Amino acid sequence: MKDSEALKITVILDGEHRKRLKTSSSESARSFRQEAKIRIEDHLKLYASIAKVGSRLERN
């Protein structure tokens, strides 16, 4: 896959994570998909890796 090609993924969120995404997307006036996309892009820009929720290594 070339860097310019899009990647489509399916993510299942339930419980508290779904509620947080719903709240944040509502507050930002973005759709669930737009909110998830911007949050994933932001996370990948800031962090080099993640071991588990709350345990991550920042990029240099």
Side-chain angles (χ1 to χ4, degrees):
M1 178 183 295
K2 296 178 184 176
D3 286 342
S4 62
E5 292 182 29
L7 173 66
K8 183 177 180 179
I9 60 172
T10 300
V11 177
I12 300 171
L13 293 176
D14 56 11
E16 186 63 28
H17 297 108
R18 184 186 186 286
K19 183 179 176 182
R20 288 182 183 193
L21 183 65
K22 183 177 180 181
T23 300
S24 63
S25 67
S26 178
E27 290 173 350
S28 65
R30 290 188 281 259
S31 68
F32 277 180
R33 184 178 297 198
Q34 290 169 325
E35 188 70 18
K37 180 180 183 290
I38 197 169
R39 285 174 169 270
I40 291 170
E41 288 173 345
D42 183 66
H43 182 89
L44 291 171
K45 182 178 179 181
L46 295 175
Y47 302 104
S49 66
I50 183 169
K52 61 183 180 179
V53 174
S55 177
R56 56 202 169 264
L57 178 63
E58 291 186 15
R59 291 200 183 276
N60 291 330

